[in-house]
Amino acid sequence: MQKIIKKTSFFKRNLNYIFAFFWLSMGFAFYLNSDSGRYLVSTLYGISGILYAWLAYKQKDRNTEYIAWDEEKLIVARLHQKPKAYYFNPEVNIHLSNYNLIIKAPRATGDMVELKGFTGEDLDLLREKFANPAVA
C-alpha cells in the first residue's frame, strides 16, 4: 500500500495533550492558591484536564493526515478523525486537480482533500495513479 503523509505542525498534532497540560496545571494552581470557594473550580479544571488526557490517549493513532491506496481502495485520514476508505468501482469518481483531490461517491459520501502540505514527490506519486490521461 502506498501512502503519502501531510506535514502537520507540533501544535496541531498535540492539541489534546496541550489542553490536558493547561487544564491540569490551572487546576493545580487554583488548588494551591485557593480559599474555600476555589476548591470547586480547581476540581472542575482538574476534571477537564483528565478528560483531555483521556481524549489524547484515545486518539493517539489519529495524529497524522495521510492518503493511502492500493489496487482496490483509497484511504483518506484527516487529523483527529477516523480514516475513510473508498473502494474503486464504477460509482466512485476520483478527480485530481492542482489543489484538491476530489472523491465523488454515491449517497453523498464523497470527500475533498486539500493537497497543500504534501511534498512534491508525494504529489507526483498521487498524479501517477489518479491523473486523468490526456485525450488526443
Side-chain angles (χ1 to χ4, degrees):
M1 180 171 280
Q2 291 185 339
K3 183 180 198 178
I4 59 173
I5 299 173
K6 189 177 200 177
K7 293 181 182 177
T8 55
S9 69
F10 172 80
F11 293 105
K12 282 185 178 180
R13 274 193 325 268
N14 299 309
L15 182 67
N16 291 327
Y17 290 112
I18 293 168
F19 278 145
F21 175 75
F22 173 73
W23 288 116
L24 286 172
S25 62
M26 288 294 291
F28 187 67
F30 266 86
Y31 183 76
L32 291 179
N33 299 327
S34 65
D35 48 357
S36 62
R38 293 191 182 175
Y39 287 121
L40 177 64
V41 173
S42 67
T43 303
L44 293 175
Y45 283 165
I47 290 171
S48 297
I50 290 170
L51 288 175
Y52 268 110
W54 176 76
L55 183 64
Y57 174 74
K58 291 296 279 185
Q59 292 189 346
K60 67 181 175 281
D61 51 344
R62 295 183 186 173
N63 287 338
T64 58
E65 288 187 75
Y66 64 86
I67 301 171
W69 65 92
D70 59 6
E71 295 302 320
E72 57 186 49
K73 66 183 171 182
L74 172 75
I75 300 172
V76 176
R78 297 191 183 263
L79 199 60
H80 304 297
Q81 293 181 9
K82 190 176 181 180
K84 294 180 185 176
Y86 300 97
Y87 290 91
F88 299 130
N89 57 34
E91 297 150 355
V92 175
N93 185 9
I94 298 173
H95 177 72
L96 183 66
S97 70
N98 290 335
Y99 303 107
N100 296 313
L101 174 69
I102 302 166
I103 304 163
K104 295 179 183 176
R107 296 184 307 274
T109 58
D111 202 353
M112 185 167 80
V113 180
E114 185 179 15
L115 298 177
K116 183 180 177 184
F118 290 103
T119 63
E121 296 84 22
D122 290 343
L123 293 177
D124 289 339
L125 279 173
L126 198 62
R127 284 187 187 102
E128 283 179 15
K129 177 67 178 172
F130 298 110
N132 293 334
V135 177

